[in-house]
């Protein structure tokens, strides 16, 4: 008896002795877990923070409002839309600096205006030729260095040789600011212009419409094909070798690197079928092949969640198997199917590599009007801008990413809303 | 023009739906008992008209491009065309096409203008033929469907048969895709291997694909040994795993075993956000933030860091993989039966000891499967490395150096270059085939492991 008590006491003592060490282990493990999660979150914060701090600037654009006298001697009604509109703008801005007379300095002053200013003047006059001979007030974008200076990216404190604007150029711009010519409104051009070599003129319209066409094609192909395949495999397919092979195949397709789908599209759609390069049609077809496994897997999960009793009730009332599945089960699974489809579409919207291979990184300055026009997509536009050396494109790239993330968040929010609203617990 | 064919087809389909529906209604109104309700007669008609004609139309649209090219070449004077080089021939065909659609550059030769005129005529003819054939075929099928409408006709069974065939076709698309991938990669790789010996590709230690495309270009001789490229891929993958595996597994363990419900409810969606960020965004992040930070750190410590170091690309790729590994590990940990956990706790083990001694070993096969899937993701990841890793293949294991990867080479070799007749572009397909095979093998192994593991506890 006493022997056993002694053993228990001994054991209790050993446990008590080891407990601090064992508890320390537990604390260390917890700490490591918390630290890992914090690392992940801080990276997420850093990612979003760097994008926002770079990108918010691109949502405004420095504009100059100048009075332009449309000189009939320079602009000929007969010759429209041709004419030396640049000359008009140069004369107008020079009037603000009567003291500057040296040719070199005048050339520099011209460069305060964006290169695209002449085109907005041209468009305005072509639209209304009666303006010729009058003086109009015109708001045009400032060129990239002055835009950067106005937004504070180029600082006056930086030594002159290290910045893109000299002291005199900054002085001229400050004078423009003093006389109230400079404004900094919301940058609508970001959404109404297509790509351009000049950052102050570049916008996302072409890329957004290109992405829209590509996603439309992707949806029209992958949604019916995905549902058809999923319904067949889940409800009708006999359990045999053949359906097994299809299933393994779909699982493997879901894990094939996206760049391989790009190679497939390049060789088959463009090389063998002769479809046009850079077209959202080909992009959408490629994305459809990649999205289909996602939709199939989501649809099968949604079909599985519909209880057997629904099928059996339909069959008991005399419905055929097709009527039971297509008429009862699939409609009940639709919220789940749609959720999966939207998530798949969101993935497709962010996909870049296959679109690069089929040439959707072309430099296109107009929005596509159909699915077979050359176009870029949002992610490829981001890639193009990220590669451009101009300072203005850094903030535009971040802004473009914010726009893309905005679309993705909206799509996922809709998916979550659908799931919460229509999900049923049977 | 294709749209007119589609509209014509749609009209005939709609018409056949209405006509058969009314025919079936008339029969039943006359007092006969129909085998199928009128709706099925209508759907049957729409399907039997729409499906075959639509399939034919789509196949024809796919083949029309190559067919038109063939017609152009056939119509040309053989003396003027066949002595040209392969690249010149493509250019000629492209020029004729652009002339025929009204975009004339410079002053083309007369025979080209003539061919362009002929092409415009042929195209016009083909377009009208398409519309005519579509309408005729659809009309014939419409008549067939209308004749079928009788009281005894089993329209529902017919409809269901067509629907079943359509669904089987949908499932086969996955197989066609796989076959298409294998076929396209194999064909182009074999063409590549006819130009470059296979031993050089598999065992060569030099990768310098920038060969001259025109004769007057100055460029290197060209070397196609993939060893340095795959080595770079391995370096970046290892860097990524070094970051992602411990963080991913640790966070999964914490969330699964220690965290309160509140923390879990917040943390999991946040981790999923990391997984949902497009890779092009990660690539920009690597270039904008991580690479300069590493360079500055290297400069401060007096360590030479390459501008596009493997550490930046690999590190950001690791961040991308954290949620992936975390969620797969989470699945594996959750799949461990509660009895094992309860047993260890009942014997007096602390929670940490239970995790380390019982749950983690039990979940290890599942976690390993997840890590393998992450490896295959890392090897196939493209945009991060295209933007943040180097272009030049170096035989090095130093993560501070700049290395290139298989996917970077594929993308840079194929951007802006379409002619499939030189080893430079074809080598991208050879790399693609190797990439496909590697990821396929890893995926199959990973799925096997995960599958086996789940079976053992079911």
């Amino acid at each position: 008896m006493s022997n056993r008590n002694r053993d228990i006491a001994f054991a209790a003592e050993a446990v008590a002795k080891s407990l601090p060490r064992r508890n320390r282990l537990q604390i260390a493990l917890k700490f490591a877990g918390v630290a890992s999660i914090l690392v992940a979150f801080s990276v997420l914060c850093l990612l979003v923070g760097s994008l926002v701090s770079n990108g918010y600037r691109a949502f405004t654009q420095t504009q100059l409002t100048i009075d332009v006298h449309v000189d009939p001697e320079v602009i000929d009604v007969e010759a429209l839309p041709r004419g030396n509109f640049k000359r008009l703008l140069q004369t107008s801005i020079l009037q603000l600096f009567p003291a500057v007379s040296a040719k070199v300095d005048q050339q520099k002053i011209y460069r305060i205006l964006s290169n695209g200013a002449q085109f907005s003047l041209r468009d305005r006059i072509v639209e209304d030729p009666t303006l010729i001979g009058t003086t109009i007030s015109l708001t045009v974008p400032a060129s990239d260095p002055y835009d950067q200076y106005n937004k504070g990216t180029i600082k006056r404190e930086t030594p002159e040789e290290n910045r893109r604007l000299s002291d005199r150029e900054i002085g001229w711009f400050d004078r423009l600011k003093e006389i109230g010519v400079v404004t900094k409104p919301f940058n609508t051009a970001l959404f109404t212009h297509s790509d351009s070599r000049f950052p102050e003129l570049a916008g996302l319209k072409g890329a957004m419409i290109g992405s829209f066409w590509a996603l439309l094609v992707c949806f029209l192909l992958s949604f019916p094909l995905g549902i058809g395949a999923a319904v067949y495999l889940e409800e009708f397919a006999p359990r045999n070798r053949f359906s097994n092979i299809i299933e393994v195949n779909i699982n493997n397709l879901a894990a094939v690197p996206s760049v391989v789908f790009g190679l497939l599209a390049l060789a088959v759609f463009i090389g063998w079928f002769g479809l046009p390069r850079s077209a959202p049609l080909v992009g959408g077809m490629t994305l459809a092949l990649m999205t289909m496994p996602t939709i199939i897997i989501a649809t099968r999960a949604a079909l599985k969640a519909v209880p057997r009793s629904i099928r059996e009730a339909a069959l008991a009332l005399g419905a055929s198997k097709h009527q039971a599945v297509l008429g009862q089960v699939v409609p009940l699974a639709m919220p789940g199917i749609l959720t999966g489809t939207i998530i798949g579409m969101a993935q497709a919207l962010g996909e870049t590599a296959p679109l690069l291979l089929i040439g959707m990184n072309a430099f296109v300055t107009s929005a596509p009007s159909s699915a077979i026009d050359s176009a870029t997509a949002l992610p490829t536009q981001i890639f193009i801008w990220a590669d451009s050396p101009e300072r203005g494109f850094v903030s535009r790239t971040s802004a473009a990413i914010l726009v893309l993330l905005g679309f993705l968040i909206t799509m996922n929010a809709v998916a979550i809303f659908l799931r919460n609203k229509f999900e049923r617990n049977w | 023009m294709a749209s007119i064919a589609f509209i014509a087809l749609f009209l005939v389909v709609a018409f056949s739906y209405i006509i058969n529906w009314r025919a079936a209604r008339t029969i039943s109104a006359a007092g006969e008992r129909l085998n199928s309700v009128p709706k099925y007669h209508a759907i049957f008609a729409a399907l039997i008209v729409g499906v075959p004609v639509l399939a034919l139309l789509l196949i024809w649209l796919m083949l029309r491009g190559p067919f038109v090219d063939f017609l152009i070449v056939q119509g040309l004077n053989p003396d003027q065309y066949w002595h040209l080089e392969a690249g010149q021939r493509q250019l000629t065909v492209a020029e004729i096409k652009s002339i025929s659609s009204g975009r004339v550059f410079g002053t083309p030769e007369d025979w080209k203008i003539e061919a362009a005129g002929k092409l415009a005529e042929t195209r016009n003819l083909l377009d009208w033929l398409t519309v005519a054939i579509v309408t005729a075929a659809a009309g014939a099928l419409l008549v067939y469907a209308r004749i079928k409408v009788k009281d005894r006709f089993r329209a529902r069974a017919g409809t269901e048969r067509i629907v079943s065939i359509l669904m089987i076709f949908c499932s086969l698309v996955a197989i066609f895709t796989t076959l298409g991938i294998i076929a396209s990669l194999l064909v182009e790789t074999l063409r590549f291997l006819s130009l470059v010996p296979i031993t050089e590709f598999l065992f060569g230690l030099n990768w310098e694909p920038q060969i001259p495309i025109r004769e007057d270009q100055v460029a290197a001789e060209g070397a196609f040994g993939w060893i340095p490229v795959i080595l770079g891929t391995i370096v970046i993958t290892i860097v990524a795993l070094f970051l992602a595996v411990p963080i991913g597994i640790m966070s999964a363990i914490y969330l699964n075993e220690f965290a309160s419900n509140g923390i879990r409810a917040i943390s999991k969606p946040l981790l999923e956000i990391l997984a949902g960020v497009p890779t092009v965004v990660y690539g920009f992040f690597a270039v904008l933030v991580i690479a300069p930070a590493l360079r500055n750190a290297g400069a401060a410590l007096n360590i030479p860091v390459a501008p596009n170091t493997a550490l930046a690309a690999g590190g950001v790729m690791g961040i991308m993989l954290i949620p992936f590994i975390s969620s797969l590990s989470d699945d594996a940990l959750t799949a461990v039966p509660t009895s094992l956990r309860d047993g260890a706790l009942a014997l007096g083990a602390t929670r940490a000891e239970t995790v380390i001694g019982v749950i983690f070993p039990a979940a290890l096969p599942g976690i390993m499967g997840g890590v393998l899937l992450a490896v295959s993701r890392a090897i196939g990841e493209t945009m991060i490395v295209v933007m943040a890793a180097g272009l030049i293949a170096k035989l090095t294991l130093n993560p501070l150096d700049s290395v290139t990867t298989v996917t970077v080479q594929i993308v840079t070799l194929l951007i802006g270059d379409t002619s499939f007749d030189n080893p430079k572009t074809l080598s991208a397909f050879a790399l693609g085939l190797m990439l496909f095979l590697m990821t396929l093998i890893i995926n199959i192994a990973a799925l096997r492991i995960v599958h086996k593991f789940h079976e053992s506890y079911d």
Side-chain angles (χ1 to χ4, degrees):
Chain A
M1 228 16 209
S2 67
N3 230 359
R4 193 159 164 208
N5 271 340
R6 211 177 58 222
D7 281 353
I8 291 173
F10 180 73
E13 196 183 327
V15 168
K17 242 163 93 184
S18 69
L19 257 185
R21 182 178 53 78
R22 294 166 62 194
N23 282 337
R24 273 204 301 279
L25 178 72
Q26 170 134 344
I27 289 167
L29 195 63
K30 268 191 184 174
F31 178 76
V34 174
S36 331
I37 290 177
L38 285 181
V39 167
F41 291 165
S42 50
V43 172
L44 184 61
C45 292
L46 185 63
L47 175 69
V48 175
S50 65
L51 290 176
V52 171
S53 68
N54 269 300
Y56 81 94
R57 289 199 182 93
F59 286 102
T60 56
Q61 169 68 44
T62 307
Q63 305 266 19
L64 303 170
T65 308
I66 47 175
D67 292 329
V68 181
H69 175 59
V70 189
D71 193 342
E73 283 178 18
V74 182
I75 302 300
D76 186 3
V77 181
E78 303 299 320
L80 285 175
R82 277 160 217 244
N84 200 345
F85 295 98
K86 205 168 180 176
R87 181 79 228 135
L88 287 184
L89 287 167
Q90 291 175 344
T91 326
S92 321
I93 191 152
L94 215 56
Q95 279 166 1
L96 301 172
F97 299 99
V100 180
S101 57
K103 261 272 180 289
V104 190
D105 290 342
Q106 290 184 346
Q107 290 289 343
K108 280 185 181 160
I109 285 177
Y110 299 157
R111 271 185 234 135
I112 296 178
L113 292 175
S114 159
N115 210 28
Q118 46 177 323
F119 302 117
S120 51
L121 176 63
R122 180 193 68 192
D123 293 346
R124 188 145 160 210
I125 292 177
V126 168
E127 202 177 287
D128 183 9
T130 56
L131 291 175
I132 295 176
T134 62
T135 300
I136 54 175
S137 164
L138 192 72
T139 305
V140 292
S143 67
D144 185 44
Y146 293 96
D147 186 35
Q148 299 297 327
Y149 168 68
N150 193 32
K151 288 169 180 171
T153 347
I154 295 178
K155 292 188 181 67
R156 190 197 287 273
E157 296 79 46
T158 323
E160 191 175 0
E161 61 271 19
N162 293 346
R163 67 175 126 79
R164 280 161 65 205
L165 295 176
S166 66
D167 285 342
R168 293 194 61 194
E169 286 169 317
I170 286 183
W172 291 329
F173 189 75
D174 285 344
R175 192 182 132 61
L176 286 178
K177 260 181 153 172
E178 270 165 36
I179 56 177
V181 171
V182 179
T183 48
K184 203 170 75 175
F186 179 73
N187 186 5
T188 47
L190 189 61
F191 300 98
T192 56
H193 283 191
S194 290
D195 200 7
S196 165
R197 290 266 179 253
F198 304 98
E200 68 272 11
L201 298 174
L204 289 171
K205 186 181 167 200
M208 288 196 289
I209 295 178
S211 269
F212 167 77
W213 282 115
L215 278 193
L216 184 71
V217 172
C218 171
F219 175 79
L220 290 179
L221 288 175
S222 63
F223 188 67
L225 286 176
I227 292 186
V231 170
Y232 177 73
L233 290 175
E234 192 62 38
E235 305 282 346
F236 294 102
R239 297 271 154 250
N240 59 15
R241 232 187 129 74
F242 174 67
S243 45
N244 210 8
I245 288 176
I246 296 181
E247 255 171 66
V248 172
N249 220 309
I250 290 170
N251 285 335
N252 277 327
L253 267 191
V256 168
S258 58
V259 69
V260 172
F261 282 97
L263 288 173
L264 165 79
L266 184 59
V268 176
F269 296 155
I270 294 178
W272 298 353
F273 292 160
L275 293 175
R277 264 176 86 84
S278 310
L281 173 71
V282 182
M285 286 162 71
T286 319
L287 294 175
L289 295 182
M290 302 176 59
T291 315
M292 227 179 66
T294 314
I295 295 182
I296 292 178
I297 292 166
T299 305
R300 294 188 68 175
L303 291 173
K304 268 201 191 99
V306 178
R308 279 218 65 76
S309 55
I310 302 280
R311 291 176 189 79
E312 279 157 8
L315 294 174
L317 288 172
S320 71
K321 189 151 190 215
H322 273 81
Q323 288 171 328
V325 170
L326 299 178
Q328 307 302 321
V329 180
V330 171
L332 285 173
M334 219 16 128
I337 297 175
L338 284 179
T339 310
T341 306
I342 295 173
I343 290 173
M345 288 293 138
Q347 276 170 13
L349 177 59
E351 203 55 69
T352 323
L355 301 185
L356 286 185
L357 289 195
I358 61 158
M360 283 189 78
N361 58 337
F363 178 69
V364 188
T365 52
S366 58
S369 54
S370 76
I372 50 170
D373 287 351
S374 287
T376 57
L378 270 177
T380 50
Q381 190 68 62
I382 291 169
F383 177 72
I384 300 169
W385 284 358
D387 257 7
S388 305
E390 285 89 354
R391 188 80 187 82
F393 275 121
V394 175
S395 61
R396 296 234 161 198
T397 312
S398 306
I401 289 177
L402 291 177
V403 172
L404 174 65
L405 291 182
F407 278 116
L408 293 181
I409 290 171
T410 316
M411 289 169 84
N412 281 298
V414 170
I416 292 170
F417 172 78
L418 272 179
R419 185 159 61 197
N420 291 344
K421 171 121 194 187
F422 295 104
E423 195 177 48
R424 276 174 136 174
N425 283 320
W426 300 94
Chain B
M1 273 319 276
S3 51
I4 295 184
F6 279 111
I7 292 171
L9 175 59
F10 176 76
L11 287 179
V12 179
V13 167
F15 186 62
S16 59
Y17 182 94
I18 295 168
I19 245 188
N20 261 24
W21 188 68
R22 296 183 64 146
R25 272 269 301 258
T26 322
I27 294 177
S28 78
E32 302 279 344
R33 206 175 130 70
L34 284 171
N35 170 285
S36 310
V37 290
K39 191 182 82 180
Y40 276 105
H41 285 278
I43 298 178
F44 176 79
L47 286 176
I48 205 93
V49 174
V51 173
V53 180
L54 185 67
L56 274 182
L57 182 56
L58 289 178
I59 292 173
W60 161 240
L61 288 179
M62 287 281 172
L63 297 178
R64 195 175 64 165
F67 182 64
V68 167
D69 284 3
F70 173 76
L71 284 185
I72 297 176
V73 173
Q74 286 301 308
L76 289 178
N77 185 343
D79 301 339
Q80 278 153 335
Y81 181 72
W82 286 107
H83 73 271
L84 295 171
E85 308 243 333
Q88 287 286 324
R89 284 184 199 159
Q90 279 185 2
L91 276 180
T92 311
V93 171
E95 195 182 346
I96 292 173
K97 277 189 198 166
S98 78
I99 296 172
S100 87
S101 53
R103 293 186 302 269
V104 185
F105 303 103
T107 45
E109 292 92 326
D110 284 341
W111 59 274
K112 283 183 184 165
I113 295 181
E114 192 187 324
K118 250 200 307 201
L119 171 63
E121 273 172 35
T122 329
R123 269 193 178 152
N124 207 1
L125 183 69
L126 281 178
D127 283 342
W128 284 114
L129 262 181
T130 311
V131 175
I133 291 176
V134 161
T135 319
L141 285 166
L142 165 64
V143 173
Y144 169 77
R146 176 63 190 80
I147 292 170
K148 281 257 173 187
V149 184
K150 296 206 178 84
D151 55 344
R152 306 283 294 278
F153 176 55
R154 295 152 60 90
R156 184 177 59 75
T159 307
E160 290 180 353
R161 211 171 310 129
I162 298 177
V163 170
S164 286
I165 291 171
L166 282 179
M167 289 196 298
I168 292 175
F169 169 76
C170 292
S171 332
L172 287 179
V173 170
I175 291 197
F176 291 150
T177 311
T178 311
L179 290 181
I181 289 175
I182 296 172
S184 59
L185 292 180
L186 265 185
V187 168
E188 309 294 345
T189 305
L190 288 178
R191 284 170 68 187
F192 170 70
L193 291 178
S194 69
L195 298 169
V196 175
I198 187 165
T199 44
E200 190 200 325
F201 176 64
L202 284 181
F203 306 111
L205 297 179
N206 273 316
W207 180 265
E208 281 154 14
Q210 299 305 334
I211 53 162
I213 294 176
R214 294 194 314 272
E215 273 166 27
D216 52 332
Q217 263 180 339
V218 182
E221 186 69 19
F224 294 95
W226 85 311
I227 298 283
V229 182
I230 183 67
L231 202 66
T233 308
I234 292 173
V235 169
I236 288 187
T237 305
I238 289 176
V239 171
L241 290 181
F242 252 100
L243 192 76
V245 170
I247 293 185
I249 294 180
M250 276 302 173
S251 54
I253 289 179
Y254 178 75
L255 289 178
N256 211 4
E257 302 293 330
F258 299 111
S260 65
N261 282 338
I263 291 182
R264 220 183 349 243
I266 299 171
S267 301
K268 280 200 172 172
L270 277 174
L271 277 176
E272 274 173 35
I273 292 180
L274 267 185
V277 174
T279 52
V280 67
V281 178
Y282 278 119
F284 185 63
F285 178 62
V287 176
L288 188 73
V289 180
I290 304 294
L294 285 175
R295 214 158 42 232
N296 291 340
L301 296 170
N302 254 336
I303 306 170
V305 177
N308 33 24
T309 154
L311 215 52
V316 172
M317 197 189 281
I319 294 163
M320 181 198 82
L321 291 177
I322 288 174
F324 193 67
I325 292 187
S326 167
S327 80
L328 287 172
S329 307
D330 197 44
D331 291 346
L333 290 168
T334 320
V336 175
T338 335
S339 57
L340 283 180
R341 182 177 295 124
D342 292 347
L345 290 174
L347 286 173
T350 62
R351 279 217 161 252
E353 286 163 346
T354 314
V355 170
I356 295 172
V358 178
I359 297 176
F360 185 70
L364 196 56
I367 294 177
M368 282 307 296
V371 171
L372 272 186
L373 284 178
V375 170
S376 113
R377 280 275 287 255
I379 294 176
E381 171 46 46
T382 310
M383 288 322 294
I384 296 177
V385 280
V386 165
M387 294 170 88
L391 291 177
I392 295 162
K394 272 191 213 160
L395 209 55
T396 175
L397 285 172
N398 178 7
L400 296 176
D401 215 334
S402 151
V403 295
T404 190
T405 73
V406 175
T407 48
V408 172
Q409 290 305 316
I410 293 176
V411 170
T412 44
L413 288 172
L414 288 178
I415 280 189
D417 205 334
T418 41
S419 64
F420 288 163
D421 54 0
N422 61 69
K424 185 187 155 204
T425 37
L426 290 176
S427 68
F429 286 90
L431 287 178
L433 182 66
M434 300 306 276
L435 180 68
F436 178 69
L437 290 179
M438 280 191 298
T439 49
L440 186 71
I441 292 169
I442 295 175
N443 285 332
I444 289 176
L447 288 178
R448 273 264 159 91
I449 293 177
V450 174
H451 205 70
K452 268 234 167 87
F453 164 74
H454 271 280
E455 260 172 13
S456 62
Y457 288 118
D458 278 344

